[in-house]
Every structure is written in C-alpha cells, then in structure tokens.
Amino acid sequence: MGVSTFSNSGVIDLTDNAVAGDVLVISGGHTAGVSGGGVFIANGGVINLNTVLNEGG
C-alpha cells in the first residue's frame, strides 16, 4: 500500500502456503479496499501462485 508504481523484474512466489488464498495488493492508496490507482508493471517478472479450478457456484 502506498506504492503508486510497482515494477517486477524477478519472481514473486506466493506458493509457500499449499492452500490457494494468498493475496497480493498493489495500490497507490493508504486505505485497504480503496483504489489508489496503483500500477503493476511485469517487466519480464513472474508471479507464481496456487489456484483452484472448479465449477464455480
């Protein structure tokens, strides 16, 4: 929070926890849940994360 631009040139690994549900928030604001106009730039970087695919509902 409070970061207006985040440029990732490396690896962000959210797989340490074997259960899906980790959260990564890029926000220029200082209040959770309020858009601060933050920008994420991949710049060749990678985000590793766990996912669960199901029927939904």
Side-chain angles (χ1 to χ4, degrees), residues 6-39:
F6 184 92
S7 182
N8 176 36
S9 301
V11 176
I12 297 173
D13 189 351
L14 300 176
T15 63
D16 189 41
N17 180 1
V19 178
D22 295 327
V23 176
L24 172 66
V25 176
I26 306 296
S27 173
H30 295 280
T31 304
V34 177
S35 175
V39 176

